[in-house]
């Protein structure tokens, strides 16, 4: 059955906006090529979106052509101000951007282990408020937060997890109270790093892959057929609890000691380095374990370094092989500060071992985004959430009855965008 003219207009508007999000500013002619729509239909949708305040002329095409240069249209960046937070056990980093992701302000604050819950939350919230003010944002539309721990899939709330600071959970609720009308989105840090790697990093354009997080603890993010998988309880990827050989006892329901965490967590790496007589100079920008791995990977030919790397690769390969045997992802990205510190040197060693352990062809590579993966993923999630809300009613907007929904809610990251197909005015 042909779509009604109003339905066809709504579909075409959403398609054009999606292309402008993905491709950046475009001419009407380029929109015609990408959508397959007729020239009059494209002209109509551009006029509608411009009248609705969603799209504006951002320049002119510099292509050699007869007649005047074509106008270039882009999404109105000032429609919303967004914030992204990377919440760690030792501090918080924040960036504030426009709707297109251009950074307007950024800041960070360390939070010591001895800081009480109340003061820690106040430091973090004040940081967000200062950054928003610096960016000239009277109101933040959406805040994306990346934090360690489990996210309840039913409520989207950060669960109270043992071993993590109490202020993490309090921070989310306080932001909702202090930023009324702002949408707050919270997601596990490893999942956000995976989304960023898929969009801009080592897993770019891959529909299926796993990101193995190696840092203070261990974890994994699973992307299958283009969808981030969280599991029935939000615990997909809790690989630290994976029972492994070489530990004195199996892990328990409340403690991952004895699991994969005991082989590849930061404390285990420090003990391994000590057994090999290795030390590293610590600094305020990375953990001691990451500094160790970075120093060793910089000179892998040194005999003691080679032995350390071989043993570490043996350990990491156990976790990778377990994931590969169950999921067959085709690609495993080593992320987290230790994974990044090991870089291609550690990834190559793990890949060699995996090839001997598994018949399933799997690429093992290091993160390509450095320490900004979580913040990048939080920003992408905030952008997706804001654009979905702002553009969700474009069909109604064109008719002058668009309702702008603003809610105080905590939700998990949005899934991949639906496929959109353009329809000409006859609805075909």
């Amino acid at each position: 059955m042909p779509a009604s003219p109003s339905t066809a207009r709504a579909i075409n508007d959403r398609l054009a906006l999606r292309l402008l999000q993905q491709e950046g500013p475009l001419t009407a002619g380029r929109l015609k090529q990408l959508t397959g729509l007729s020239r009059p239909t494209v002209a109509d949708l551009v006029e509608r979106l411009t009248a609705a305040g969603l799209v504006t002329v951002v320049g002119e095409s510099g292509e050699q052509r007869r007649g005047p240069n074509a106008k270039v249209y882009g999404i109105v960046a000032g429609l919303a101000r967004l914030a992204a937070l990377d919440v760690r056990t030792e501090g918080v980093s924040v960036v504030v951007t426009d709707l297109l992701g251009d950074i307007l302000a950024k800041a960070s604050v360390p939070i010591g282990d001895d800081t009480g819950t109340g003061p820690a939350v106040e430091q973090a919230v004040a940081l967000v408020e200062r950054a928003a003010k610096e960016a000239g944002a009277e109101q933040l539309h959406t805040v994306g937060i990346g934090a360690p721990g489990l996210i309840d899939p039913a409520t989207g709330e950060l669960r109270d997890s043992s071993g993590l600071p109490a202020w993490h959970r309090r921070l989310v609720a306080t932001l909702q109270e202090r930023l009324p009308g702002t949408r707050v989105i919270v997601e596990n840090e490893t999942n956000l790093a995976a989304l960023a790697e898929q969009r801009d990093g080592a897993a770019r354009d891959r529909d299926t892959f796993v990101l193995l997080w190696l840092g203070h603890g261990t974890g994994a993010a699973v992307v299958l057929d283009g969808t981030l998988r969280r599991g029935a309880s939000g615990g997909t990827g809790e690989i630290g609890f994976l029972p492994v050989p070489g530990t004195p006892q199996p892990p328990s329901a409340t403690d991952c000691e004895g699991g994969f965490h005991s082989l590849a967590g930061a404390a285990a790496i420090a003990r391994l380095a000590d057994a090999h007589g290795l030390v590293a100079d610590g600094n305020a920008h990375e953990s001691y374990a990451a500094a160790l791995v970075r120093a060793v990977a910089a000179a892998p030919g040194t005999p003691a370094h080679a032995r350390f790397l071989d043993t570490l690769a043996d350990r990491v390969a156990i976790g990778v092989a377990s994931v590969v045997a169950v999921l067959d992802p085709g690609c495993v990205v080593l992320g987290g500060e230790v994974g990044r510190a090991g870089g291609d040197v550690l990834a190559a060693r793990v890949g060699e071992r995996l090839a001997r352990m598994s018949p399933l062809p799997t690429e093992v590579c290091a993160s390509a985004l450095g320490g900004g993966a979580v913040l990048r993923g939080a920003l992408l999630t905030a952008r997706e959430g804001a654009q979905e809300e702002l553009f969700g009613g474009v069909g109604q907007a064109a008719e002058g009855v668009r309702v702008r929904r603003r809610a105080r809610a905590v939700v998990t990251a949005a899934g991949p965008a639906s496929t959109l197909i353009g329809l000409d005015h006859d609805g075909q």
Side-chain angles (χ1 to χ4, degrees), residues 5 8 15 19 33 41-42 154 190 196 205 218 220 230 271 344 352 367 371:
L15 174 56
L19 288 170
Q33 293 175 345
T41 299
V42 171
T190 307
D205 299 327
T218 58
R230 298 179 178 84
R271 291 193 295 269
D344 294 337
E352 291 169 359
S367 165

PDB file of all heavy atoms in Angstrom, residues 5 8 15 19 33 41-42 154 190 196 205 218 220 230 271 344 352 367 371:
ATOM      1  N   PRO A   5       1.001  11.010   1.593  1.00  0.00           N
ATOM      2  CA  PRO A   5       1.968  12.097   1.361  1.00  0.00           C
ATOM      3  C   PRO A   5       2.652  12.572   2.642  1.00  0.00           C
ATOM      4  O   PRO A   5       3.852  12.855   2.640  1.00  0.00           O
ATOM      5  CB  PRO A   5       1.099  13.189   0.733  1.00  0.00           C
ATOM      6  CG  PRO A   5      -0.008  12.450   0.054  1.00  0.00           C
ATOM      7  CD  PRO A   5      -0.301  11.277   0.953  1.00  0.00           C
ATOM      8  N   ALA A   8       5.214   9.996   3.629  1.00  0.00           N
ATOM      9  CA  ALA A   8       6.354  10.072   2.718  1.00  0.00           C
ATOM     10  C   ALA A   8       7.246  11.256   3.065  1.00  0.00           C
ATOM     11  O   ALA A   8       8.475  11.150   3.071  1.00  0.00           O
ATOM     12  CB  ALA A   8       5.866  10.180   1.276  1.00  0.00           C
ATOM     13  N   LEU A  15      15.365  10.742   6.490  1.00  0.00           N
ATOM     14  CA  LEU A  15      16.464  10.251   5.662  1.00  0.00           C
ATOM     15  C   LEU A  15      17.476  11.360   5.404  1.00  0.00           C
ATOM     16  O   LEU A  15      18.697  11.165   5.526  1.00  0.00           O
ATOM     17  CB  LEU A  15      15.915   9.696   4.347  1.00  0.00           C
ATOM     18  CG  LEU A  15      16.940   9.264   3.292  1.00  0.00           C
ATOM     19  CD1 LEU A  15      17.903   8.233   3.865  1.00  0.00           C
ATOM     20  CD2 LEU A  15      16.246   8.727   2.065  1.00  0.00           C
ATOM     21  N   LEU A  19      21.430  11.501   6.692  1.00  0.00           N
ATOM     22  CA  LEU A  19      22.563  11.676   5.788  1.00  0.00           C
ATOM     23  C   LEU A  19      23.399  12.885   6.189  1.00  0.00           C
ATOM     24  O   LEU A  19      24.636  12.841   6.131  1.00  0.00           O
ATOM     25  CB  LEU A  19      22.059  11.838   4.351  1.00  0.00           C
ATOM     26  CG  LEU A  19      21.510  10.561   3.698  1.00  0.00           C
ATOM     27  CD1 LEU A  19      20.827  10.893   2.377  1.00  0.00           C
ATOM     28  CD2 LEU A  19      22.632   9.553   3.473  1.00  0.00           C
ATOM     29  N   GLN A  33      21.361  12.643  -5.145  1.00  0.00           N
ATOM     30  CA  GLN A  33      22.122  11.453  -5.531  1.00  0.00           C
ATOM     31  C   GLN A  33      22.063  10.370  -4.456  1.00  0.00           C
ATOM     32  O   GLN A  33      21.897   9.183  -4.763  1.00  0.00           O
ATOM     33  CB  GLN A  33      23.585  11.829  -5.800  1.00  0.00           C
ATOM     34  CG  GLN A  33      23.796  12.702  -7.011  1.00  0.00           C
ATOM     35  CD  GLN A  33      25.247  13.131  -7.157  1.00  0.00           C
ATOM     36  OE1 GLN A  33      26.045  13.006  -6.221  1.00  0.00           O
ATOM     37  NE2 GLN A  33      25.603  13.644  -8.327  1.00  0.00           N
ATOM     38  N   THR A  41      11.244  16.853  -5.015  1.00  0.00           N
ATOM     39  CA  THR A  41      11.047  16.295  -3.681  1.00  0.00           C
ATOM     40  C   THR A  41      12.148  16.737  -2.733  1.00  0.00           C
ATOM     41  O   THR A  41      11.895  17.099  -1.574  1.00  0.00           O
ATOM     42  CB  THR A  41      10.999  14.761  -3.742  1.00  0.00           C
ATOM     43  OG1 THR A  41       9.901  14.361  -4.564  1.00  0.00           O
ATOM     44  CG2 THR A  41      10.828  14.153  -2.362  1.00  0.00           C
ATOM     45  N   VAL A  42      13.399  16.752  -3.232  1.00  0.00           N
ATOM     46  CA  VAL A  42      14.511  17.205  -2.402  1.00  0.00           C
ATOM     47  C   VAL A  42      14.367  18.693  -2.081  1.00  0.00           C
ATOM     48  O   VAL A  42      14.603  19.130  -0.948  1.00  0.00           O
ATOM     49  CB  VAL A  42      15.852  16.931  -3.098  1.00  0.00           C
ATOM     50  CG1 VAL A  42      17.003  17.603  -2.352  1.00  0.00           C
ATOM     51  CG2 VAL A  42      16.109  15.426  -3.183  1.00  0.00           C
ATOM     52  N   ALA A 154      16.852  -2.785  32.835  1.00  0.00           N
ATOM     53  CA  ALA A 154      15.446  -2.430  33.008  1.00  0.00           C
ATOM     54  C   ALA A 154      15.266  -0.955  33.345  1.00  0.00           C
ATOM     55  O   ALA A 154      14.360  -0.291  32.842  1.00  0.00           O
ATOM     56  CB  ALA A 154      14.815  -3.296  34.097  1.00  0.00           C
ATOM     57  N   THR A 190      33.271   0.347  29.121  1.00  0.00           N
ATOM     58  CA  THR A 190      33.779  -0.541  28.085  1.00  0.00           C
ATOM     59  C   THR A 190      32.855  -0.548  26.879  1.00  0.00           C
ATOM     60  O   THR A 190      33.310  -0.562  25.725  1.00  0.00           O
ATOM     61  CB  THR A 190      33.933  -1.968  28.645  1.00  0.00           C
ATOM     62  OG1 THR A 190      34.726  -1.915  29.837  1.00  0.00           O
ATOM     63  CG2 THR A 190      34.617  -2.875  27.649  1.00  0.00           C
ATOM     64  N   ALA A 196      32.846   3.777  20.293  1.00  0.00           N
ATOM     65  CA  ALA A 196      33.785   4.718  19.688  1.00  0.00           C
ATOM     66  C   ALA A 196      34.734   4.020  18.729  1.00  0.00           C
ATOM     67  O   ALA A 196      35.031   4.540  17.642  1.00  0.00           O
ATOM     68  CB  ALA A 196      34.572   5.429  20.792  1.00  0.00           C
ATOM     69  N   ASP A 205      33.562   0.275  10.969  1.00  0.00           N
ATOM     70  CA  ASP A 205      32.709  -0.369   9.972  1.00  0.00           C
ATOM     71  C   ASP A 205      32.542  -1.875  10.186  1.00  0.00           C
ATOM     72  O   ASP A 205      31.986  -2.558   9.314  1.00  0.00           O
ATOM     73  CB  ASP A 205      33.226  -0.117   8.549  1.00  0.00           C
ATOM     74  CG  ASP A 205      33.245   1.370   8.206  1.00  0.00           C
ATOM     75  OD1 ASP A 205      32.362   2.084   8.715  1.00  0.00           O
ATOM     76  OD2 ASP A 205      34.132   1.791   7.453  1.00  0.00           O
ATOM     77  N   THR A 218      39.233  -5.940  34.407  1.00  0.00           N
ATOM     78  CA  THR A 218      39.069  -6.468  33.059  1.00  0.00           C
ATOM     79  C   THR A 218      37.586  -6.512  32.714  1.00  0.00           C
ATOM     80  O   THR A 218      36.728  -6.669  33.583  1.00  0.00           O
ATOM     81  CB  THR A 218      39.666  -7.880  32.924  1.00  0.00           C
ATOM     82  OG1 THR A 218      39.035  -8.741  33.888  1.00  0.00           O
ATOM     83  CG2 THR A 218      41.160  -7.868  33.168  1.00  0.00           C
ATOM     84  N   ALA A 220      34.717  -6.768  28.944  1.00  0.00           N
ATOM     85  CA  ALA A 220      34.588  -6.909  27.500  1.00  0.00           C
ATOM     86  C   ALA A 220      33.276  -6.288  27.049  1.00  0.00           C
ATOM     87  O   ALA A 220      32.277  -6.313  27.773  1.00  0.00           O
ATOM     88  CB  ALA A 220      34.647  -8.381  27.082  1.00  0.00           C
ATOM     89  N   ARG A 230      23.986  -6.392  25.805  1.00  0.00           N
ATOM     90  CA  ARG A 230      24.164  -6.158  27.237  1.00  0.00           C
ATOM     91  C   ARG A 230      23.800  -7.356  28.090  1.00  0.00           C
ATOM     92  O   ARG A 230      24.228  -7.446  29.231  1.00  0.00           O
ATOM     93  CB  ARG A 230      23.329  -4.955  27.663  1.00  0.00           C
ATOM     94  CG  ARG A 230      23.737  -3.658  26.985  1.00  0.00           C
ATOM     95  CD  ARG A 230      22.858  -2.509  27.418  1.00  0.00           C
ATOM     96  NE  ARG A 230      23.285  -1.257  26.805  1.00  0.00           N
ATOM     97  CZ  ARG A 230      22.934  -0.860  25.584  1.00  0.00           C
ATOM     98  NH1 ARG A 230      22.130  -1.628  24.860  1.00  0.00           N
ATOM     99  NH2 ARG A 230      23.357   0.284  25.104  1.00  0.00           N
ATOM    100  N   ARG A 271      52.404  -7.505  39.812  1.00  0.00           N
ATOM    101  CA  ARG A 271      53.091  -8.657  40.424  1.00  0.00           C
ATOM    102  C   ARG A 271      53.930  -9.401  39.400  1.00  0.00           C
ATOM    103  O   ARG A 271      55.054  -9.867  39.702  1.00  0.00           O
ATOM    104  CB  ARG A 271      52.062  -9.598  41.050  1.00  0.00           C
ATOM    105  CG  ARG A 271      51.371  -9.041  42.284  1.00  0.00           C
ATOM    106  CD  ARG A 271      50.601 -10.126  43.024  1.00  0.00           C
ATOM    107  NE  ARG A 271      49.499 -10.654  42.217  1.00  0.00           N
ATOM    108  CZ  ARG A 271      48.259 -10.184  42.229  1.00  0.00           C
ATOM    109  NH1 ARG A 271      47.956  -9.142  43.002  1.00  0.00           N
ATOM    110  NH2 ARG A 271      47.319 -10.737  41.490  1.00  0.00           N
ATOM    111  N   ASP A 344      50.510  -2.418  19.434  1.00  0.00           N
ATOM    112  CA  ASP A 344      50.643  -3.470  18.422  1.00  0.00           C
ATOM    113  C   ASP A 344      51.553  -4.597  18.885  1.00  0.00           C
ATOM    114  O   ASP A 344      51.389  -5.742  18.451  1.00  0.00           O
ATOM    115  CB  ASP A 344      51.195  -2.870  17.122  1.00  0.00           C
ATOM    116  CG  ASP A 344      50.227  -1.888  16.475  1.00  0.00           C
ATOM    117  OD1 ASP A 344      49.017  -1.983  16.754  1.00  0.00           O
ATOM    118  OD2 ASP A 344      50.693  -1.019  15.702  1.00  0.00           O
ATOM    119  N   GLU A 352      49.188 -14.216  17.826  1.00  0.00           N
ATOM    120  CA  GLU A 352      49.949 -15.429  17.507  1.00  0.00           C
ATOM    121  C   GLU A 352      49.493 -16.602  18.366  1.00  0.00           C
ATOM    122  O   GLU A 352      49.317 -17.722  17.876  1.00  0.00           O
ATOM    123  CB  GLU A 352      51.442 -15.178  17.731  1.00  0.00           C
ATOM    124  CG  GLU A 352      52.058 -14.206  16.727  1.00  0.00           C
ATOM    125  CD  GLU A 352      53.453 -13.781  17.136  1.00  0.00           C
ATOM    126  OE1 GLU A 352      53.916 -14.237  18.220  1.00  0.00           O
ATOM    127  OE2 GLU A 352      54.076 -12.991  16.411  1.00  0.00           O
ATOM    128  N   SER A 367      43.626  -0.784  20.473  1.00  0.00           N
ATOM    129  CA  SER A 367      42.748   0.374  20.341  1.00  0.00           C
ATOM    130  C   SER A 367      43.424   1.460  19.518  1.00  0.00           C
ATOM    131  O   SER A 367      44.624   1.690  19.642  1.00  0.00           O
ATOM    132  CB  SER A 367      42.404   0.924  21.728  1.00  0.00           C
ATOM    133  OG  SER A 367      41.848   2.223  21.645  1.00  0.00           O
ATOM    134  N   GLY A 371      43.445   7.287  25.001  1.00  0.00           N
ATOM    135  CA  GLY A 371      42.711   7.399  26.256  1.00  0.00           C
ATOM    136  C   GLY A 371      41.370   8.091  26.139  1.00  0.00           C
ATOM    137  O   GLY A 371      40.646   8.192  27.123  1.00  0.00           O
TER     138      GLY A 371
END
